[in-house]
């Protein structure tokens, strides 16, 4: 038996992919499956973005680019950051990454090692914990509670910092809950972080413009006092329906930029050039498709919340961002993962059990409303039938 290092045995994964595989297998057997499991927009990448990639390839843009990304793509990110946050960042702080996840990886391997502690949201995106475990650092969950609208509590987060804490991971708007941390709470957190100058911060802002009901996302970039230890993760996957293009960006403090550049040189060299041209078109081109997509998500969000609330034993907080609902199913007699599995096998509805996002996810399930209104209605009918049995 080949023996790999123990880190690989500690690594977890994202169960959404396993659910997708099972849902696809059942569909191939002829079952009518409605997929509310995977977190990717069901819209096509807007035409002008696709055209930009095709043009780039036809123009011969097929070679290596700088490991940090094309200057033009980084400058597009600078413009976009100014539009969304009002903050001017330097193109020399921007890294173009193959998706959002590699920034997570880079930040976590930079600070994670045995003896170190890393704070991460629970429930939260599962890769945070998985990568922390991989490095041998101790994962310290920051509870994200329904009672506080699935927002971070500054007080609770700060209370978990010890002299071993090296990195704090934040995510708002959040997966899997759709929660948004209000500006007042972020301000309190930043104020408290002044007492912990050695703690780096990874702010995952990939859903930054996916908000509803007039809610506004607060970027951590807006706090100059933490800029020298702040990494901001963002990307094209969700906003422009580009999950498979593997296009992300991140903004790094000066002290870390060369380290992440070197990691890119060692691991992936660069992001493919045509996608980087597509990324520029996404940022600089018309945003009508994004607006149309968000209007559709908003309509579906209301259908999902209303439909879930009509199911016996199910309560659902109104999600304020992203495209997920995270209903509370504690009043049904079901454990969350067992319910998710039974709904898939017996009713043909794919969704994810809350514990796949952390221990505090028990009692919840995640529905991604990246599916048509008709399918969402059908899925809700099936869930209601199943839970009324
Ligand atoms: N961050 C969060 C909070 C996410 O939900 C996701 C994807 O679901 C990512 C990052 C990863 O994005 P990407 O597909 O670009 O790697």
């Amino acid at each position: 038996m080949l023996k790999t290092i123990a880190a690989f045995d500690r690594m977890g994964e994202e169960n959404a992919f396993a659910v997708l595989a099972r849902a696809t297998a059942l569909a191939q057997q002829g079952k009518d499956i409605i997929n509310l499991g995977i977190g990717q927009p069901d819209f096509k990448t807007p035409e002008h973005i696709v055209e930009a990639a095709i043009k780039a390839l036809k123009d011969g843009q097929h070679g290596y680019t700088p490991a940090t990304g094309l200057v033009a793509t980084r400058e597009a990110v600078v413009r976009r950051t100014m539009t969304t946050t009002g903050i001017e960042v330097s193109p020399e702080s921007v890294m173009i990454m193959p998706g959002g996840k590699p920034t997570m990886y880079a930040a976590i391997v930079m600070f994670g090692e045995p003896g170190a502690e890393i704070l991460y949201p629970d429930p939260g995106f599962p890769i945070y914990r998985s990568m922390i475990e991989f490095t041998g650092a101790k994962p310290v969950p920051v509870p994200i509670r329904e009672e506080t609208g699935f927002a971070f509590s500054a007080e609770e987060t700060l209370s978990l910092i010890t002299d071993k804490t090296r990195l704090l991971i934040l995510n708002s708007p959040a997966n899997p809950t759709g929660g948004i941390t209000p500006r007042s709470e972020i301000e309190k957190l930043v104020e408290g972080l002044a007492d912990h100058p050695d703690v780096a911060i990874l702010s995952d802002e990939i859903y930054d413009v996916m908000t509803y009901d007039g809610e506004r996302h607060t970027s951590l970039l807006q706090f100059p006092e933490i800029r020298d230890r702040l990494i901001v993760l963002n990307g094209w996957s969700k906003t422009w329906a580009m999950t498979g293009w593997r296009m992300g960006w991140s903004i790094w403090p000066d002290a870390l930029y060369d380290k992440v550049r070197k990691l890119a040189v060692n691991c992936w060299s660069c992001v493919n050039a045509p996608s980087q041209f597509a990324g520029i078109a996404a940022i600089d081109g018309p945003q009508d498709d994004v607006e149309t997509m968000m209007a559709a998500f908003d309509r579906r969000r209301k259908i999902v919340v209303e439909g879930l609330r009509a199911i016996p034993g199910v309560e659902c907080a109104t999600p304020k961002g992203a495209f997920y609902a995270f209903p509370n199913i504690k009043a049904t007699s079901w454990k969350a993962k067992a319910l998710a599995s039974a709904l898939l096998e017996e009713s043909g509805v794919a969704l994810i059990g809350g514990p796949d996002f952390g221990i505090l996810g028990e009692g919840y399930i995640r529905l991604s409303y990246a599916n048509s209104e008709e399918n969402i209605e059908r899925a809700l009918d099936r869930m209601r039938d199943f839970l009324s049995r």
Side-chain angles (χ1 to χ4, degrees), residues 346-370:
E346 295 179 40
S347 299
V349 178
L351 41 75
I352 318 283
D356 284 333
F357 302 96
I359 297 162
L360 289 175
E362 185 52 85
Y364 298 87
I365 51 176
R366 188 194 79 174
L367 285 81
S368 155
Y369 41 90

Side-chain angles (χ1 to χ4, degrees), residues 7-8 10-11 104-116 118 128-139:
F8 280 86
R10 293 194 299 264
M11 190 159 49
M104 251 170 243
Y105 173 74
I108 294 169
V109 295
M110 269 186 211
F111 294 100
E113 61 182 344
I118 299 183
Y128 305 140
R129 184 185 174 106
S130 168
M131 275 296 118
I132 298 167
E133 304 250 33
F134 182 75
T135 65
K138 180 177 165 198

Side-chain angles (χ1 to χ4, degrees), residues 313-315 327-336 339 363-365:
V314 179
E315 284 168 33
N328 182 325
I329 53 135
K330 289 177 187 165
T332 71
S333 51
W334 286 89
K335 286 273 182 205
L339 178 61
Y364 298 87
I365 51 176

Side-chain angles (χ1 to χ4, degrees), residues 99-101 104 125 128 171 175 204 206-207 237-238 246:
K101 273 181 186 166
M104 251 170 243
F125 191 55
Y128 305 140
N171 172 222
N175 179 6
D204 182 342
I206 201 156
Y207 297 103
S237 293
K238 315 286 176 174
R246 308 313 301 139

